[in-house]
Amino acid sequence: MKVAVMKGFGGPEVFEIETRPDLIPSNDQVLIEVKAAGINRPDVFQRKGNYPAPSGTAPDIPGLEVAGVIISIGPDVKNYKIGDEVMALLPGEGYATQALVSEKICLHKPKNISFEEAAALPETIYTVWDNIFERGQLKAGEHVLIHGGTGGIGTVSIQLAKLFGAVVYTTVGSQGESESSRGVRC
């Protein structure tokens, strides 16, 4: 497989492409042929030397989000099959042509979005789901205030809360942000 390896810290010019051994899934793992990788804040911080690589991952390959097609599965995989289009949140190493993850952290890619769009979603979706629905236990009919309603986390929070039947209120940080969501009920 090909990987984008950091040869030091700095700007995007620190990356070089290398060949590494192909990955092999075991247990509940799926092997994804990566079609697109998300670039998020921790990836940029890692590239600049301001964020350590997550434990257990190659320190020279960032990448927390990918989207692609499953090309192999471990013997214990139950919810996915070869050929499924997925997106996943990784502990690292997403800047590669292959990614190996537990099926538990995969999501089926919606057919109506591109691989590039799908690769930008996993970290945000998992963050919103964990904070609002798992920890906050938001239920239909309840009211929720979303701060930062025009940011990535904020817009997904609003959409998911509305989808699950909550009454949503939101704030934004400045006059330059969306007029339609400043301190109003959604």
Side-chain angles (χ1 to χ4, degrees):
M1 72 171 170
K2 300 288 186 194
V3 295
V5 176
M6 297 183 324
K7 293 296 187 176
F9 299 118
E13 67 279 356
V14 303
F15 284 107
E16 291 183 14
I17 303 300
E18 288 185 1
T19 300
R20 300 251 172 115
D22 285 345
L23 303 172
I24 300 169
S26 61
N27 303 321
D28 73 339
Q29 294 177 323
V30 299
L31 179 60
I32 302 168
E33 178 184 272
V34 175
K35 301 290 187 183
I39 299 173
N40 56 50
R41 194 171 296 226
D43 297 333
V44 173
F45 288 163
Q46 184 178 347
R47 186 195 73 222
K48 291 180 176 182
N50 299 323
Y51 184 85
S55 179
T57 66
D60 58 348
I61 308 171
L64 301 176
E65 301 172 290
V66 298
V69 178
I70 293 177
I71 57 173
S72 185
I73 61 173
D76 301 329
V77 172
K78 294 178 180 29
N79 298 309
Y80 295 92
K81 63 185 182 316
I82 294 172
D84 282 351
E85 295 181 349
V86 296
M87 50 190 177
L89 179 63
L90 312 172
E93 302 179 24
Y95 290 8
T97 57
Q98 295 180 353
L100 193 58
V101 298
S102 166
E103 73 171 322
K104 295 174 188 169
I105 56 174
C106 280
L107 297 166
H108 287 280
K109 181 185 86 57
K111 296 288 182 197
N112 64 334
I113 65 173
S114 68
F115 284 108
E116 292 82 4
E117 291 165 324
L121 294 175
E123 186 170 26
T124 299
I125 289 172
Y126 280 113
T127 298
V128 170
W129 189 263
D130 184 60
N131 285 292
I132 293 180
F133 297 99
E134 295 293 325
R135 294 176 190 210
Q137 299 182 353
L138 183 67
K139 305 281 187 276
E142 292 183 334
H143 294 238
V144 62
L145 173 62
I146 307 295
H147 289 291
T150 59
I153 296 290
T155 56
V156 171
S157 296
I158 291 166
Q159 292 175 49
L160 286 177
K162 292 283 288 181
L163 180 67
F164 284 89
V167 178
V168 178
Y169 300 88
T170 186
T171 63
V172 296
S174 72
Q175 291 287 344
E177 296 187 52
S178 174
E179 293 291 326
S180 64
S181 63
R182 186 186 2 269
V184 299
R185 181 174 165 175
C186 296

